[in-house]
């Protein structure tokens, strides 16, 4: 770890060895240049490495300038070494005593972010719960495996958003547990969808193509709206990343249902509906696998 400029020290020596907790209890802020921090994944890596360490009160990031500000008490040495171990080329620019209200302002920013996530998740939960009820009922009426599969995907998403809403503002470990629980739920529902498709393949079905396409189009609009709502939070905690994965998968599933409805209309065969129902089931299954593969 090198230091571009001294902060109250001569000859460019890093000031961290001289830093001690001020008698007035105010925190220090150390600024780092991180040349290889060029996307949110590196920010997430740094958060996982530093957040929760003893003495660190808050972190702030500027991706455009590739800078990280670490608000801390005591020496910066151990934290700097931890950051350096990530291999992102981190350089300590300087350390200074921050104003008494600086950490409080950072805490307020974190609270605002949590409130923003909560508002988004409430909207997503309401949209998916409503679409689940409507799509399931119309899927049964239309005898469409694709619509029934998509409705169960909506149900899984509603559960995911409910769990994510519970995890907002809580510990990273709890966020990850909530995400993993949603992943198990999604896998269970996916297996149920696949069994339903097999049942319909054996006993037959007569899907209504126009109803399939109409409901699929409404669901597509709803899920694109969900995707736009969550876009700015998709690089947040595990619970928000899980929500992003589910919403993106939903858009693909809705497009598949619309195409299947069109093919049913053209061919008069139920097989396109069964194929898309099976494909949606696999998509849901893979989404659950992705969630379970996430690590904090």
């Amino acid at each position: 770890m090198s230091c571009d400029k001294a902060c109250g020290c001569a000859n460019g020596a890093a000031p961290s060895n001289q830093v001690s907790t001020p008698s007035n209890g105010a925190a220090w802020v150390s600024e780092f240049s991180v040349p290889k921090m060029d996307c949110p994944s590196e920010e997430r890596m740094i958060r996982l490495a530093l957040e929760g360490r003893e003495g660190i009160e808050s972190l702030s990031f500027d991706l455009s300038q590739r800078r990280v500000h670490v608000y801390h008490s005591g020496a910066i040495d151990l934290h700097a070494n931890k950051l350096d171990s990530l291999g992102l080329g981190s350089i300590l620019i300087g350390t200074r005593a921050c104003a008494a209200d600086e950490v409080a302002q950072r805490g307020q920013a974190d609270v605002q972010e949590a409130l923003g996530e909560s508002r988004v998740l409430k909207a997503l939960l309401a949209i998916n719960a409503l679409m689940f009820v409507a799509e399931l009922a119309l899927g049964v009426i239309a005898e469409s495996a694709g619509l029934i599969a998509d409705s169960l995907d909506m149900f899984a998403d509603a559960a995911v958003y409910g769990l994510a809403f519970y995890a907002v503002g809580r510990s990273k470990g709890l966020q990850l547990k909530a995400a993993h629980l949603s992943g198990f739920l999604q896998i269970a529902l996916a297996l149920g969808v696949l069994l339903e498709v097999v049942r319909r393949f054996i006993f037959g079905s007569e899907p209504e193509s126009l109803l399939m396409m109409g409901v699929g189009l409404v669901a597509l609009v709803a899920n694109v709206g969900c995707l736009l709502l969550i876009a700015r939070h998709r690089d947040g905690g595990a619970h928000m990343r899980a929500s992003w994965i589910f919403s993106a998968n939903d858009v693909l599933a809705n497009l598949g249902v619309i195409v299947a409805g069109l093919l049913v209309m053209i061919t008069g065969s139920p097989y396109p509906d069964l194929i898309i129902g099976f494909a949606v089931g696999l998509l849901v299954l893979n989404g659950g696998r992705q969630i379970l593969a996430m690590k904090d």
Side-chain angles (χ1 to χ4, degrees):
M1 175 68 65
S2 62
C3 179
D4 280 354
K5 68 177 182 178
C7 183
C9 302
N11 301 320
S16 53
N17 287 331
Q18 286 75 37
V19 173
S20 59
T21 306
S23 59
N24 61 6
W28 298 97
V29 56
S30 293
E31 181 180 3
F32 290 87
S33 171
V34 188
K36 297 181 182 179
M37 185 182 69
D38 54 6
C39 68
S41 61
E42 280 85 25
E43 175 186 335
R44 185 67 182 161
M45 187 188 304
I46 293 170
R47 285 190 182 278
L48 291 175
L50 297 184
E51 279 187 343
R53 288 174 62 89
E54 185 177 356
I56 290 184
E57 299 183 47
S58 183
L59 302 172
S60 69
F61 294 81
D62 185 342
L63 288 179
S64 62
Q65 298 297 319
R66 303 186 184 186
R67 299 292 174 90
V68 178
H69 289 82
V70 180
Y71 295 83
H72 61 97
S73 58
I76 192 61
D77 297 69
L78 293 178
H79 309 313
N81 290 338
K82 183 67 174 178
L83 184 56
D84 191 40
S85 70
L86 299 178
L88 300 176
S90 58
I91 299 169
L92 177 63
I93 294 176
T95 298
R96 62 174 175 80
C98 65
D101 62 345
E102 224 173 318
V103 175
Q105 290 174 353
R106 286 299 312 158
Q108 290 174 357
D110 292 340
V111 169
Q112 289 302 314
E113 176 67 18
L115 289 174
E117 288 184 2
S118 296
R119 285 192 293 268
V120 167
L121 289 169
K122 283 180 182 178
L124 296 176
L125 177 59
I127 291 171
N128 279 269
L130 178 63
M131 287 304 302
F132 160 66
V133 174
E135 201 169 9
L136 179 62
L138 293 172
V140 172
I141 293 172
E143 294 189 36
S144 169
L147 284 179
I148 292 173
D150 203 38
S151 73
L152 292 180
D153 188 30
M154 289 283 193
F155 175 79
D157 291 346
V160 167
Y161 298 136
L163 289 168
F165 177 70
Y166 168 75
V168 168
R170 299 178 186 269
S171 70
K172 296 293 185 295
L174 189 56
Q175 291 177 5
L176 187 63
K177 287 179 181 178
H180 282 175
L181 181 57
S182 68
F184 283 119
L185 176 62
Q186 182 145 338
I187 287 174
L189 289 173
L191 293 175
V193 166
L194 295 175
L195 288 174
E196 174 63 15
V197 171
V198 172
R199 188 192 71 80
R200 286 175 179 267
F201 181 81
I202 294 172
F203 295 101
S205 63
E206 297 181 4
E208 296 288 338
S209 58
L210 288 178
L211 197 52
M212 282 178 63
M213 289 188 290
V215 176
L217 182 59
V218 173
L220 177 63
V221 172
N223 281 315
V224 168
C226 290
L227 204 60
L228 293 175
L229 282 172
I230 204 171
R232 69 179 297 267
H233 300 285
R234 68 182 183 274
D235 295 307
H239 61 309
M240 299 305 291
R241 283 178 282 148
S243 300
W244 169 262
I245 290 171
F246 288 138
S247 294
N249 284 347
D250 285 348
V251 171
L252 296 176
N254 298 147
L255 290 171
V257 169
I258 294 171
V259 171
L262 181 61
L263 291 176
V264 168
M265 176 186 290
I266 294 172
T267 65
S269 169
Y271 291 119
D273 176 56
L274 295 175
I275 290 170
I276 194 59
F278 192 79
V280 170
L282 292 179
L283 185 67
V284 174
L285 192 66
N286 185 60
R289 182 197 62 78
Q290 287 181 277
I291 298 308
L292 293 181
M294 288 194 315
K295 298 185 183 297
D296 200 357

